[in-house]
Amino acid sequence: MNPIHSLFVSFFFLTFVWFWNCTNYSTTTSVQAPPTLVSITNNGNSNFTIKVRAQNPEFIFQGYRLYQAATESLAQNPTDTNIGADCLLAQAAVVQPVEYTFEVDPSSNPNTAGVSCRIFATLTPGSYISMRTLGIAVNLANSTSSYRVSLPSNALIVP
């Protein structure tokens, strides 16, 4: 996570709590809805397009993380949810369902027109992919932040 972004979010939240004497905040972790993978298309040259439908969970929304594994179960339930390829999006003010187009490509090429985000990864045909929503979690006790991942999406087989 970008340290400057983490510091800004922590500072903003603490300022809101202390300056306005807001005591009605929750220490309960927010539950985020996982995205739904609609389709995956092989564009050639290790380049894939993934269509995803998702609902951004308000202020804490950061983006998505892609997982790949040999089986559906391992793609949806990796041994370490911190290992995956991230797609960080600008915070969305809209909390309505959105259809995203992600491009998965190991190269550093710029986004193709109409692509929401490029994920720098190599996908293996025949493997399974799954995604999770990334949200920011702020610890007020020690002023740190980290990502909180949602439950897994459905899985698709890479063509």
Side-chain angles (χ1 to χ4, degrees):
M1 167 175 259
N2 182 344
I4 294 173
H5 186 257
S6 299
L7 184 62
F8 173 75
V9 171
S10 298
F11 177 75
F12 175 77
F13 184 73
L14 291 174
T15 301
F16 180 79
V17 171
W18 289 328
F19 186 72
W20 284 287
N21 291 323
C22 176
T23 58
N24 296 327
Y25 59 90
S26 175
T27 57
T28 305
T29 305
S30 174
V31 177
Q32 300 172 53
T36 301
L37 303 183
V38 177
S39 66
I40 180 169
T41 307
N42 187 339
N43 302 324
N45 298 326
S46 299
N47 179 291
F48 295 86
T49 301
I50 302 173
K51 296 279 187 184
V52 177
R53 290 198 181 112
Q55 182 170 338
N56 303 331
E58 64 219 29
F59 176 69
I60 63 171
F61 172 74
Q62 298 296 302
Y64 299 96
R65 183 170 287 157
L66 177 70
Y67 301 93
Q68 177 181 214
T71 67
E72 180 178 10
S73 178
L74 287 174
Q76 291 180 312
N77 304 295
T79 55
D80 184 356
T81 57
N82 293 314
I83 298 174
D86 292 349
C87 173
L88 302 180
L89 298 169
Q91 288 184 346
V94 179
V95 188
Q96 298 298 318
V98 175
E99 182 166 297
Y100 292 106
T101 301
F102 295 122
E103 194 167 45
V104 182
D105 191 342
S107 73
S108 58
N109 295 335
N111 285 356
T112 304
V115 170
S116 306
C117 188
R118 177 179 283 263
I119 300 173
F120 299 102
T122 301
L123 296 181
T124 305
S127 63
Y128 290 80
I129 60 166
S130 177
M131 291 184 102
R132 292 176 183 241
T133 302
L134 295 174
I136 191 160
V138 178
N139 184 336
L140 296 177
N142 62 9
S143 298
T144 61
S145 61
S146 61
Y147 287 135
R148 170 144 172 87
V149 295
S150 70
L151 293 172
S153 70
N154 57 311
L156 296 177
I157 300 174
V158 178

